[in-house]
């Protein structure tokens, strides 16, 4: 099998990894039209760095052979898909060739498990080592690590990669034992704990001497599949809060389950609505940047374990707590301003900065980046106070939610 055929198979197999993805674009292909360009190009995707930069990555699997038989995975042992495997030097050569042509700025490399965890991890590390040491590659490297691999190999991976990630796979231990019985939550979290310890140790050493070696400077991340098991949104967010708190993860990615060929009967026949994945990302954002905890987003005493798909979680919280509004934007503390629907973190910073010099009027909020339609019912200013809208949260919800759509029969 030549390199192009391998690239077609292993780049396609890597598309299920949401921790490095760009989505929402149309599929375009200029082949046969005489034009140029294609969004279906093999293996190149985009990722965003913490400072907002967009980087292009060669996103591939080392191999889609796998000794595991996880029910939700298209590359599972029993799956009837075409298989391929790159040699490590092929991946190195491809990365350098793409980089020299300015197609990419880095590499995202994952793999199925071949032989055993240590053998696979050695191959992944060898790609990163060769790029860094043999070719002085200065681009971004994201390695998917194997939880059962030895601590020495995880340590070697962190010396060469910018970011490491270990998939938590499913939100609950019950789901994991049901759909991926060959994997254990204990080994996954044990590996995450090792990475956290090494990352923090490296940071402390760098504080003492700037010549100390770095270890995964972009931190670690993970991905969980949503909708493959019966875990509700509150369970998913509880797992995310635990991962952020105990393992200091940079990101948790949520991937809506996608039906696969010859699927297990234990799996649902349809994927969950993509808006569920979107609401989880919004809730995740609220936890990380707005000071919300899981019980505020999906309150246990309400019996509502699923997020509202019609409105975003922040608006849902505001409608459950009308007594906390309207918020006076000229006097309210930052933590309360962050809870106003329609006010993002940047707008709140601008509000706090602006009110040091003048008392704000309603139109000022638009100039600071807020949507007046969204914030109007929840704030008061020198010249604005909502009249009666908060007394009927149901009517307010109807006015702010998207208009109902005809359900499809198919």
């Amino acid at each position: 099998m030549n390199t192009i055929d391998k690239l077609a198979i292993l780049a396609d197999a890597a598309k299920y990894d949401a921790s490095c993805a760009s989505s929402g674009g149309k599929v375009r292909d200029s082949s046969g039209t005489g034009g140029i360009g294609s969004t279906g190009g093999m293996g190149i995707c985009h990722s965003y760095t913490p400072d907002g930069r967009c980087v292009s990555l060669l996103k591939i699997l080392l191999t889609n052979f796998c000794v595991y038989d996880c029910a939700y995975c298209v590359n599972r042992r029993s799956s009837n898909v075409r298989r391929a495997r790159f040699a490590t030097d092929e991946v190195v050569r491809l990365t350098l060739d793409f980089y020299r042509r300015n197609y990419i700025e880095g590499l995202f490399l994952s793999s199925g498990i071949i032989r055993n965890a240590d053998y696979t991890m050695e191959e992944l590390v060898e790609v990163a080592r060769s790029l860094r040491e043999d070719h002085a590659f200065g681009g971004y490297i994201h390695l998917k690590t194997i939880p059962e691999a030895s601590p020495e190999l995880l340590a070697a991976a962190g010396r060469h990669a910018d970011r490491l990630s270990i998939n938590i796979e499913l939100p609950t231990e019950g789901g994991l034992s049901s759909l991926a019985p060959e994997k254990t939550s204990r080994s996954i979290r044990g590996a995450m704990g090792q990475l956290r310890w090494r990352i923090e140790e490296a940071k402390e050493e760098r504080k003492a001497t700037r010549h100390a070696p770095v270890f995964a400077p972009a931190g670690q991340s993970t991905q969980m599949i949503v909708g493959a098991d019966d875990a509700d949104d509150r369970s998913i967010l509880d797992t995310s809060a635990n991962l952020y708190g105990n393992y200091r993860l940079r990101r948790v990615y949520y991937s809506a389950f996608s039906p696969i060929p010859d699927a297990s009967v234990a799996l649902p026949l349809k994927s969950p609505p993509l808006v569920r994945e979107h609401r989880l990302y919004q809730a995740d954002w609220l936890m990380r940047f707005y000071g919300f905890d899981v019980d505020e987003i999906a309150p246990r005493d309400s019996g509502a374990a699923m997020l509202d798909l019609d409105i975003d979680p922040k608006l849902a919280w505001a409608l459950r707590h009308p007594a906390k509004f309207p918020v006076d934007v000229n006097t309210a503390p930052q933590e309360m301003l962050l809870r106003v629907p329609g006010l993002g973190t940047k707008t709140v910073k601008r509000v706090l900065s602006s009110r040091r010099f003048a008392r704000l009027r309603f139109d000022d909020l638009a100039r600071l980046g807020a949507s007046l339609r969204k914030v109007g019912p929840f704030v008061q200013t020198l010249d604005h106070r909502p009249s009666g809208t908060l007394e009927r949260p149901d009517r307010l919800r109807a006015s702010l939610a998207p208009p109902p759509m005809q359900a499809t029969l198919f």
Side-chain angles (χ1 to χ4, degrees), residues 350-365:
R350 292 171 187 153
V351 167
L352 293 172
S353 176
S354 299
R355 75 186 193 186
R356 291 160 50 197
F357 306 100
R359 293 178 65 78
L360 299 175
R361 294 182 174 277
F362 192 52
D363 287 344
D364 293 332
L365 295 178

Side-chain angles (χ1 to χ4, degrees), residues 25-82:
K26 290 179 62 176
V27 176
R28 300 177 188 275
D29 188 355
S30 61
S31 58
T33 68
I36 60 171
S38 168
T39 57
M42 291 177 287
I44 297 179
C45 69
H46 300 92
S47 183
Y48 291 89
T49 60
D51 62 0
R53 287 179 301 119
C54 177
V55 295
S56 302
L57 303 176
L58 174 61
K59 179 180 175 182
I60 53 175
L61 299 187
L62 188 66
T63 179
N64 63 345
F65 287 100
C66 192
V67 298
Y68 288 150
D69 203 34
C70 307
Y72 48 80
C73 182
V74 72
N75 298 316
R76 68 192 185 281
R77 184 175 65 233
S78 59
S79 179
N80 185 28
V81 295
R82 291 182 70 198

Side-chain angles (χ1 to χ4, degrees), residues 299-322:
R300 297 172 201 286
D301 56 5
S302 71
M306 300 295 285
L307 299 176
D308 192 327
L309 297 184
D310 291 332
I311 57 176
D312 68 76
K314 191 176 177 185
L315 176 58
W317 179 87
L319 294 176
R320 286 195 299 270
H321 300 87

Side-chain angles (χ1 to χ4, degrees), residues 97-312:
D97 286 349
F98 276 71
Y99 192 83
R100 289 181 179 124
R101 287 173 171 79
N102 204 27
Y103 295 156
I104 61 167
E105 295 160 283
L107 170 68
F108 175 95
L109 185 61
S110 184
S111 180
I113 312 298
I114 43 176
R115 297 192 191 178
N116 55 55
D118 276 356
Y119 178 81
T120 308
M121 197 69 224
E122 281 180 5
E123 298 261 299
L124 293 170
V125 170
E126 173 56 20
V127 171
R129 186 211 63 77
S130 179
L131 283 169
R132 293 292 195 222
E133 296 183 356
D134 299 341
H135 302 280
F137 180 70
Y140 181 86
I141 297 179
H142 181 160
L143 287 185
K144 261 288 156 55
T145 51
I146 315 297
E148 295 79 10
S150 68
E152 293 76 18
L153 288 169
L154 293 181
R159 286 196 294 273
H160 302 301
D162 294 278
R163 172 167 284 190
L164 300 175
S165 55
I166 301 171
N167 283 354
I168 193 78
E169 308 287 359
L170 292 161
T172 64
E173 287 192 39
L176 190 66
S177 61
S178 166
L179 299 178
E182 295 161 297
K183 296 182 177 178
T184 66
S185 176
R186 184 178 179 182
S187 65
I188 294 170
R189 290 173 183 265
M192 286 180 175
Q194 284 187 50
L195 293 185
R196 176 193 168 177
W197 167 68
R198 292 185 185 281
I199 290 169
E200 291 181 350
E201 184 184 53
K203 285 181 179 176
E204 289 302 315
E205 290 177 356
R206 295 279 291 180
K207 287 179 184 175
T209 169
R210 65 186 184 89
H211 297 295
V214 297
F215 184 91
Q220 62 169 325
S221 60
T222 192
Q223 172 180 336
M224 70 174 81
I225 301 170
V226 174
D229 62 356
D230 58 359
D232 55 44
D233 291 344
R234 187 164 55 214
S235 301
I236 292 170
L237 295 174
D238 275 334
T239 299
S240 298
N242 178 276
L243 294 173
Y244 286 128
N246 291 335
Y247 303 98
R248 301 288 188 268
L249 264 64
R250 286 288 183 87
R251 286 291 304 272
V252 175
Y253 292 88
Y254 306 94
S255 174
F257 166 71
S258 178
I260 55 178
D262 305 320
S264 163
V265 294
L267 293 171
L269 296 176
K270 291 177 61 177
S271 58
L274 281 178
V275 69
R276 184 183 176 196
E277 181 184 288
H278 179 58
R279 297 294 180 225
L280 286 168
Y281 275 115
Q282 289 178 319
D284 185 282
W285 209 258
L286 292 182
M287 290 194 297
R288 291 192 294 140
F289 300 107
Y290 289 79
F292 283 77
D293 61 37
V294 175
D295 201 36
E296 290 178 296
I297 298 169
R300 297 172 201 286
D301 56 5
S302 71
M306 300 295 285
L307 299 176
D308 192 327
L309 297 184
D310 291 332
I311 57 176
D312 68 76

Side-chain angles (χ1 to χ4, degrees), residues 1-11 42 58 60 84-87 89-95 97-98:
M1 185 179 291
N2 63 38
T3 301
I4 295 298
D5 290 336
K6 291 181 184 178
L7 187 58
I9 294 171
L10 296 174
M42 291 177 287
L58 174 61
I60 53 175
R85 176 182 173 182
F86 279 128
D89 61 337
E90 278 184 294
V91 178
V92 171
R93 191 169 63 249
L94 274 173
T95 304
D97 286 349
F98 276 71

